[in-house]
Amino acid sequence: MEKILVVVDMQKDFVDGALGTMEAAGIVDAVVSRIRNFEGRIFATMDTHGENYLETEEGKRLPVPHCISGTPGWKLDGRVQEALLGKNFKIIEKPTFGSTALVEELRRIQEQEEIAVELLGLCTDICVVSNALLLKAHFPEMPVCVNEACCAGVTPKTHKAALETMKMCQIDVI
């Protein structure tokens, strides 16, 4: 069984930029360590918006421009980017919380062999939970887990709530 690591949105704007938090900055070392110690294929998602972000449905509900393609805040945290160097990784840009492109990438791999997926990153209560649930919905027999020590939510309370939601949907929290 091939193990896949999905690094969700470890971008500057979520770590220490427009939407950064102490909790997000606090997981970077753990994320870097996990990437460095992981043997296998890695997918790194990147929240990606255009200059018209504030005109989108998300922008109307969260009127904080972030992860605008090409800006410094859109880029992966430098330490995470460095940890990925030399690894078998692919970047997947996504315009919304969950990535259908990630589903398609994993579908192609799963056609060849069984896989298990571990997710980590930001934010537990938005993009991590969205991607975990999307993967579980598309691949109900595939083992999916979330690395709690390598995730942070918008708040500690919503981080814990997202972890509980994922547990209820048969996603392991490690």
Side-chain angles (χ1 to χ4, degrees):
M1 178 174 294
E2 182 177 356
K3 294 185 179 179
I4 308 279
L5 182 66
V6 177
V7 177
V8 178
D9 298 358
M10 287 299 298
Q11 295 161 266
K12 185 165 179 47
D13 270 346
F14 292 128
V15 173
D16 58 7
L19 294 172
T21 64
M22 289 184 342
E23 292 82 10
I27 69 163
V28 174
D29 288 341
V31 169
V32 166
S33 177
R34 182 66 185 120
I35 291 169
R36 287 192 175 137
N37 292 314
F38 187 79
E39 296 298 326
R41 201 179 317 215
I42 301 172
F43 291 95
T45 68
M46 293 180 68
D47 195 42
T48 303
H49 302 293
E51 293 294 331
N52 70 333
Y53 171 75
L54 292 175
E55 299 164 24
T56 67
E57 185 68 20
E58 180 182 330
K60 291 172 187 170
R61 293 171 182 254
L62 178 63
V64 178
H66 64 281
C67 298
I68 306 300
S69 183
T71 64
W74 172 74
K75 294 181 179 176
L76 289 173
D77 175 90
R79 296 161 290 176
V80 171
Q81 180 68 52
E82 185 178 315
L84 287 167
L85 294 177
K87 293 289 188 176
N88 179 9
F89 80 97
K90 181 175 184 175
I91 299 289
I92 296 179
E93 294 181 17
K94 59 182 192 54
T96 189
F97 309 131
S99 174
T100 55
L102 176 62
V103 169
E104 292 310 312
E105 290 283 347
L106 296 180
R107 186 176 313 285
R108 280 192 281 280
I109 297 167
Q110 193 175 50
E111 287 173 355
Q112 306 299 315
E113 63 185 301
E114 289 185 36
I115 58 176
V117 175
E118 174 184 340
L119 294 98
L120 54 79
L122 300 169
C123 293
T124 319
D125 42 351
I126 303 173
C127 292
V128 174
V129 68
S130 294
N131 281 288
L133 292 172
L134 190 60
L135 293 179
K136 199 61 177 173
H138 280 271
F139 308 102
E141 298 302 318
M142 180 176 73
V144 177
C145 71
V146 173
N147 190 324
E148 179 178 5
C150 294
C151 291
V154 174
T155 69
K157 181 179 178 181
T158 57
H159 165 76
K160 290 288 186 195
L163 293 173
E164 289 303 313
T165 296
M166 288 185 274
K167 287 178 189 176
M168 294 302 297
C169 293
Q170 300 177 359
I171 294 165
D172 294 324
V173 176
I174 59 170

